Amino acid sequence: MKNPNYMTKLSVTSSERQKNNYILYFSPDGEKIATDLGNKFSFKIFDARGKMGEVREFLSSFWQDINSIIFISSIAICVRLIKDFITTKDKDPAVIVIDDKKINTIPILSNHLGGAGNLAREISEFLENYLVTTTATDNRGIMGIDVFARENSYKIENLKGIKKVSKAMIEGEKVGFYSICKKVLPYKNLVVYSDLDEVKKSSLQNVIVITDKLLDFQSENIFLMRSKSIILGVGSRKGTKSLDLINLINEELFDLNLSSDSIKMIVSIELKKDEKSIIETARHFKVDFRLEKIEELKKYEDLFLGSSLVKSVTGLSSVSEPCAFKYSEKLLKQKIKKDGFTLTIGVCYE
């Protein structure tokens, strides 16, 4: 019996990009490899023999919705099919080629930000074949700055800067580093700064800065990444508008000198699972909308000044504060009330 992930027609099966993963095979020998990989990684499998037109049409329509795609084929087939759709490092899917004799696994596109390198490594270990890498940092045992960003969920502000920093690392130059978080880039010639004042004074040509703060200075030597460190606890009345919540969040973050690109999640109670205004706001900021059980939040309830009216409706005397508190190291603003919303802002620096 064929793998249940076999597809008779190529299509996007999920609105969540990370779930749209595909294996295409173009020969009888490739089918066995595809089946084994499909069983291991739960990827969708498609028999592409004689269907180059259908594959090209699928890629043209859904390129931005694909998380990863494995070609069991020659590199030439892969390149001819994807070449017209390649855009940028942060948008292209991970693309990997495996020859149909299972000798080599080769990451082709989005090796770092798209995760092709890590996925190819897992596949190569599973297939027990050769992993062929051509990325300069990987082949020198240097962690790419874009790999570091991906592994820690940092948002890169300037993708073009990746090339400049990577070149400096490949050539063994000193690179400055400041982070509001705990992780440090493993690079032997790293100069670690303790605060942004030291960054301002730096004479280095490349300085990596990881922060959730809005910078009051600019420099072409700074490679800026946004930490995902801001936790938003949200409560709401019925009938609220997403634009009001978006404006409220932007206003309060600006007042705290924080970037909205550093929002990690919006948290509310399960009662709000269908609240359109919060769902649309999470979608606007491209962050998770996390729902918490009342029973789980009750342990934090007495830490905050609550309302008997809110408790009668929700089962909890305060909503936004316990929601933010659960995931935060500290709260920066508590229970801001406006336009039918309550908002609490916390941070967590992992």
Side-chain angles (χ1 to χ4, degrees):
M1 188 174 72
K2 283 193 172 183
N3 188 300
N5 284 325
Y6 266 79
M7 308 180 77
T8 56
K9 181 176 176 58
L10 276 171
S11 62
V12 166
T13 56
S14 175
S15 59
E16 298 178 53
R17 178 174 174 172
Q18 66 267 28
K19 293 183 179 179
N20 292 322
N21 303 289
Y22 302 88
I23 303 169
L24 309 184
Y25 66 90
F26 296 79
S27 68
D29 287 335
E31 183 173 7
K32 174 63 167 58
I33 302 170
T35 302
D36 290 342
L37 289 176
N39 287 330
K40 171 67 175 177
F41 295 97
S42 298
F43 285 7
K44 298 297 182 184
I45 301 169
F46 182 71
D47 181 355
R49 289 175 289 185
K51 301 173 184 174
M52 299 283 275
E54 182 178 342
V55 173
R56 191 174 286 108
E57 184 179 342
F58 169 72
L59 295 177
S60 175
S61 300
F62 300 108
W63 182 254
Q64 299 294 330
D65 300 308
I66 300 169
N67 184 55
S68 63
I69 184 164
I70 300 167
F71 288 82
I72 303 176
S73 68
S74 67
I75 292 177
I77 287 176
C78 169
V79 171
R80 289 191 184 106
L81 284 169
I82 72 172
K83 64 182 178 63
D84 295 329
F85 315 119
I86 297 171
T87 55
T88 59
K89 285 174 175 283
D90 61 328
K91 293 179 181 177
D92 290 329
V95 178
I96 294 168
V97 169
I98 303 166
D99 64 273
D100 70 358
K101 289 300 181 183
K102 205 170 64 173
I103 297 170
N104 299 304
T105 297
I106 312 167
I108 297 292
L109 189 66
S110 288
N111 195 49
H112 290 166
L113 281 181
N118 287 339
L119 178 58
R121 194 171 295 109
E122 289 183 49
I123 290 171
S124 180
E125 289 174 358
F126 174 68
L127 296 177
E128 298 181 338
N129 68 2
Y130 291 106
L131 174 64
V132 180
T133 59
T134 58
T135 308
T137 49
D138 291 350
N139 287 340
R140 287 166 174 80
I142 298 170
M143 175 177 276
I145 188 64
D146 38 2
V147 174
F148 185 67
R150 178 183 170 85
E151 289 187 356
N152 294 287
S153 300
Y154 301 147
K155 180 179 179 182
I156 297 174
E157 289 274 299
N158 178 19
L159 289 170
K160 292 181 179 178
I162 294 173
K163 184 177 180 179
K164 182 170 178 281
V165 176
S166 297
K167 182 176 182 291
M169 293 170 69
I170 289 166
E171 294 177 357
E173 296 178 13
K174 287 184 178 180
V175 173
F177 182 87
Y178 166 75
S179 180
I180 202 166
C181 301
K182 299 177 178 69
K183 301 286 180 61
V184 177
L185 178 70
Y187 173 62
K188 64 180 180 180
N189 289 327
L190 203 68
V191 178
V192 179
Y193 298 128
S194 59
D195 55 46
L196 288 172
D197 286 334
E198 290 187 0
V199 171
K200 287 182 188 180
K201 298 172 185 175
S202 176
S203 60
L204 294 177
Q205 294 300 301
N206 293 279
V207 180
I208 298 163
V209 174
I210 303 165
T211 184
D212 54 8
K213 300 291 189 295
L214 298 172
L215 300 186
D216 59 0
F217 61 96
Q218 290 184 331
S219 170
E220 63 182 13
N221 297 334
I222 289 178
F223 181 76
L224 179 61
M225 295 192 284
R226 292 297 180 190
S227 59
K228 290 295 183 178
S229 46
I230 298 172
I231 314 296
L232 303 178
V234 176
S236 71
R237 295 200 302 260
K238 288 184 178 179
T240 50
K241 298 177 181 178
S242 58
L243 183 59
D244 291 334
L245 180 55
I246 290 167
N247 288 337
L248 174 61
I249 290 169
N250 283 329
E251 289 166 7
E252 296 302 326
L253 290 182
F254 183 78
D255 186 58
L256 290 167
N257 196 39
L258 295 175
S259 169
S260 61
D261 284 334
S262 285
I263 299 172
K264 182 176 183 178
M265 68 177 82
I266 293 174
V267 190
S268 194
I269 54 175
E270 284 188 326
L271 190 64
K272 300 298 177 181
K273 65 183 176 67
D274 297 319
E275 196 66 52
K276 190 176 179 181
S277 59
I278 307 179
I279 294 169
E280 290 178 351
T281 298
R283 190 176 298 133
H284 170 81
F285 288 112
K286 298 179 181 178
V287 298
D288 289 341
F289 176 29
R290 192 161 298 187
L291 297 165
E292 292 295 320
K293 296 181 182 295
I294 297 296
E295 294 74 20
E296 176 63 24
L297 296 176
K298 280 186 178 294
K299 65 180 80 169
Y300 312 121
E301 186 176 19
D302 293 339
L303 299 174
F304 307 102
L305 184 64
S307 160
S308 56
L309 177 60
V310 172
K311 191 175 181 71
S312 68
V313 175
T314 66
L316 204 64
S317 60
S318 175
V319 173
S320 70
E321 290 161 311
C323 284
F325 182 82
K326 179 178 178 181
Y327 294 98
S328 301
E329 293 176 9
K330 62 178 178 179
L331 299 182
L332 303 182
K333 283 197 173 186
Q334 293 181 223
K335 200 184 292 182
I336 306 145
K337 298 179 181 180
K338 188 177 180 182
D339 297 323
F341 295 101
T342 56
L343 173 67
T344 296
I345 302 173
V347 288
C348 181
Y349 301 114
E350 297 176 331

